[in-house]
Amino acid sequence: MVHVRLRGAPMIVCSCNVLTDHAIRKAVETRAPRTAGQVYGCLGCSAQCGRCAQTIRQIMDDAVAGACAKGCAAACHHHPHTAAAEAAA
Ligand code: FES
């Protein structure tokens, strides 16, 4: 059997709570959760088996990287120069 994922089609990331990558991405973009546990909360559920947590963290990291790539100001704490200055302070 060949599995074909349509480009842009939602993919179930959390089978316990039936959460799609689209729903997770939207929650990350609009609610800015800082942990995978907060993502579940934003979507009105909680972790069950936890197998999806790593994928949720990856989606969070990708969203932050994408936002920074679009126009991260020097004051953004994700910006490498700002992070280095904060670490030195
Ligand atoms: S797959 Fe997400 S909690 Fe089980």
Side-chain angles (χ1 to χ4, degrees), residues 13-17 19 40 46-53 56:
V13 170
C14 174
S15 55
C16 294
N17 293 303
L19 302 178
Y40 298 114
S46 59
Q48 302 298 314
C49 73
R51 284 184 305 210
C52 58
I56 290 173

Side-chain angles (χ1 to χ4, degrees), residues 9-74:
M11 177 181 68
I12 299 289
V13 170
C14 174
S15 55
C16 294
N17 293 303
V18 194
L19 302 178
T20 65
D21 60 328
H22 288 191
I24 293 166
R25 212 167 274 117
K26 184 170 184 174
V28 168
E29 291 170 3
T30 59
R31 310 273 308 267
R34 299 180 70 94
T35 66
Q38 290 176 345
V39 172
Y40 298 114
C42 290
L43 295 169
C45 58
S46 59
Q48 302 298 314
C49 73
R51 284 184 305 210
C52 58
Q54 185 174 356
T55 303
I56 290 173
R57 279 192 293 272
Q58 185 62 55
I59 291 170
M60 294 170 74
D61 290 346
D62 290 349
V64 169
C68 285
K70 285 181 185 169
C72 187

